[in-house]
Amino acid sequence: MDWLGNVVFKDREIENERLELTDKNANYILGPNLTLKNCTLVLKAASRRLSIDRAQFVDCAFEVKQELKNYQDWIGASLKGCRFKGRLTGCDFGHWPEYSSLPWCQLGSIEDCDFTEARLDGCRIMGCDPATLRFPKWPCFTILDPIGRARELNSVEWPGGFRPIIVEGQYRDPPRTMAVTFYAPSLARRRETTEEAFRAVIEQFDCIVY
């Protein structure tokens, strides 16, 4: 750690190591020009203290020990064959160059990754094929091709006034949104309804994995 509290991993390749990013006072910076292969990364840091900048992760395991909220830096990562455990909320993965003109978000990608042991809520896959990914099962549910199926998805009444995808207006979902995963218990609580009410609607669609 330097005098600013930064722990920087860049300009190298690391293989078969366990990295514990757990110091609450540290700023962890992964990249640029960093490749990790067959590594385990233990994450227990707030979103504002974790930065990913053009890093490559191959066959790595991410153990998220503290809920990672509203974290977009995953789009600065190339993720292949990785596994995720823990709680992730409002995170975006994949290729989304329109997010920023900065170099770090121009090369993001995700493929062959496994989220089955993670709890995802409001997490999106951007600009990449979700068919190569494994998503968590119920009480999580994943909407595939939400932009393409928006009219169909919004044609039914969802519990609590929920709209699974927004394609117009200031808060519309980006065109690159290829999949979005929600966690039914949290969604039901926010909408003051029940998980069962959501499941009754979800079961009507073949584009939803649960």
Side-chain angles (χ1 to χ4, degrees), residues 123-128 130 135 141-155 158 162-168 173-182 205-209:
C123 293
R124 300 182 295 193
I125 302 299
M126 311 298 292
C128 294
F135 293 100
F141 64 94
T142 301
I143 303 173
L144 304 175
D145 188 22
I147 300 295
R149 306 290 290 266
R151 178 175 294 182
E152 179 184 354
L153 290 163
N154 290 327
S155 68
W158 289 76
F162 175 66
R163 292 186 66 190
I165 193 73
I166 300 173
V167 292
E168 296 178 345
D173 289 281
R176 286 186 185 268
T177 307
M178 306 303 292
V180 58
T181 302
F182 296 98
F205 295 96
D206 60 7
C207 62
I208 301 181
V209 178

Side-chain angles (χ1 to χ4, degrees), residues 35-192:
T35 299
L36 276 70
K37 296 181 178 179
N38 294 299
C39 290
T40 296
L41 292 92
V42 181
L43 307 181
K44 193 177 181 181
S47 298
R48 68 182 183 279
R49 292 190 175 275
L50 179 63
S51 175
I52 300 176
D53 180 0
R54 290 163 288 174
Q56 292 185 310
F57 302 91
V58 181
D59 297 328
C60 291
F62 292 91
E63 299 180 3
V64 182
K65 299 297 186 180
Q66 173 181 311
E67 184 176 8
L68 199 58
K69 296 182 179 180
N70 302 320
Y71 189 67
Q72 273 66 55
D73 277 24
W74 291 116
I75 63 173
S78 171
L79 299 157
K80 182 175 176 60
C82 296
R83 303 171 305 285
F84 291 81
K85 296 181 180 180
R87 296 177 296 161
L88 299 106
T89 300
C91 296
D92 293 322
F93 300 84
H95 187 60
W96 189 11
E98 296 85 3
Y99 180 77
S100 170
S101 60
L102 294 174
W104 69 269
C105 72
Q106 302 303 306
L107 301 175
S109 64
I110 184 169
E111 61 178 312
D112 299 326
C113 290
D114 187 343
F115 291 98
T116 55
E117 295 186 68
R119 195 196 82 179
L120 306 182
D121 190 20
C123 293
R124 300 182 295 193
I125 302 299
M126 311 298 292
C128 294
D129 184 3
T132 72
L133 310 177
R134 296 180 65 196
F135 293 100
K137 299 299 185 183
W138 185 262
C140 289
F141 64 94
T142 301
I143 303 173
L144 304 175
D145 188 22
I147 300 295
R149 306 290 290 266
R151 178 175 294 182
E152 179 184 354
L153 290 163
N154 290 327
S155 68
V156 301
E157 184 175 346
W158 289 76
F162 175 66
R163 292 186 66 190
I165 193 73
I166 300 173
V167 292
E168 296 178 345
Q170 181 180 357
Y171 300 106
R172 65 185 180 275
D173 289 281
R176 286 186 185 268
T177 307
M178 306 303 292
V180 58
T181 302
F182 296 98
Y183 181 59
S186 295
L187 186 58
R189 187 166 55 252
R190 292 194 297 268
R191 293 290 172 170
E192 298 182 343

